[in-house]
Structures are given as structure tokens and as C-alpha cells.
Amino acid sequence: MALRKFLVVMDDSPEFLNALRFAAIRAKKTGGGVAILGIVAPEEFQHWIGVGEAMRAEARERIEEHFKVFSKWMIDKEGIEPELVIREGEKATEVLAAIEADPEVGILVLGAGATGEGPGPLVTQLVARQTENMSVPITVVPGGLTKERIIAVS
């Protein structure tokens, strides 16, 4: 039987932290794993052709540094050692590609925005527009959930 892996998309939003906490707790409770997906958007390195490679390398480095922080937290708090996946391209496309590339991914965990301006562009795109292309269930963690509530429902 394949390991059930929770895939979480890393970004700079507070919603990501909620999604990560939920995935870590669920993985611990179910004996699964967590993969953190960092995506380098094409616009980050297409402005200047001559410095494109340097910008791409910097973007990857930034993802790796953020991953180290979240990885340490997951190991310390939940005893789960996440894996890092880095892809380059448009977010929704790369999320779908990452799921297809790893047969152990069983659930996509996304954090929804807490600002009242909707769930966020990635949630909207994947849940509302891409569900026919989705091969795993999606768990959307509401942005307004407190840490305690996330722990309770995980």
C-alpha cells in the first residue's frame, strides 16, 4: 500500500501556515507524510534574459531557506520530516503536475484566505476550475481557523 502523502503549496501567506499545520497533524495521526511544494513563477526570472539564471537560482534558494524553517518546525512539533518539491511554472499547472508525478500524494491541502476577499487565487483556480483534472481530493483549510481549532479538527 502506498504511503499517503499530503501535498501543501508553500507561499508567504498566513493561510499556508494553517494548511501546513493541518497536513502535519493529519500525517502524524494517519502514518502519512508531507510534501511541501515550492513553485518558482516564470515572471520571477523572465524580466532580464541575462540575469534569468541568477534570479532562478535565488528563487530556488529562497524556497529552500523557507523550507528549512518549516521542516524544523514539523520535525520538532509533529515528528514528521517533510520532503521538498520545487517546480517552475504557473502555480495551478505545477500543482497538478506535482500530483501526477508522485503517486504517493493522496491529498492536496490548501489554505483559504482569511481577508473576506474570497478563498484566494490558487484555491479558486484549482477547486472551481480544475476539479475535472484533479486526481486526488482537496482539503481546504479556512484562513480564519485558530491553531487550537486546526488541532481539534485534524
Side-chain angles (χ1 to χ4, degrees):
M1 179 165 136
L3 170 74
R4 182 166 81 162
K5 200 181 292 179
F6 295 84
L7 180 66
V8 184
V9 182
M10 179 169 49
D11 60 21
D12 296 329
S13 72
E15 298 87 51
F16 162 68
L17 299 177
N18 279 355
L20 189 64
R21 177 172 282 119
F22 178 87
I25 294 168
R26 289 298 304 147
K28 182 178 182 179
K29 286 183 177 179
T30 62
V34 175
I36 297 176
L37 175 61
I39 300 172
V40 178
E43 59 269 13
E44 287 191 54
F45 49 80
Q46 287 184 344
H47 296 299
W48 307 95
I49 300 303
V51 294
E53 283 306 313
M55 291 177 77
R56 179 180 282 123
E58 282 177 24
R60 292 180 81 86
E61 212 171 278
R62 214 170 31 251
I63 287 170
E64 289 167 2
E65 288 303 313
H66 285 153
F67 174 77
K68 284 179 190 171
V69 172
F70 298 120
S71 177
K72 180 178 178 353
W73 173 83
M74 284 181 83
I75 292 166
D76 292 348
K77 291 287 186 197
E78 301 299 335
I80 298 287
E81 188 166 345
E83 103 184 48
L84 175 62
V85 178
I86 300 177
R87 299 187 67 91
E88 294 181 12
E90 189 273 323
K91 258 190 179 176
T93 302
E94 294 308 320
V95 169
L96 294 170
I99 291 167
E100 291 308 311
D102 187 348
E104 292 182 344
V105 170
I107 296 178
L108 173 63
V109 181
L110 299 173
T115 61
E117 297 173 11
L122 186 60
V123 173
T124 301
Q125 197 169 9
L126 288 171
V127 175
R129 301 188 192 124
Q130 296 287 336
T131 48
E132 72 276 1
N133 299 325
M134 194 61 61
S135 60
V136 299
I138 303 170
T139 297
V140 179
V141 181
L145 285 187
T146 63
K147 174 183 169 184
E148 294 73 24
R149 187 74 183 129
I150 291 170
I151 292 168
V153 300
S154 298

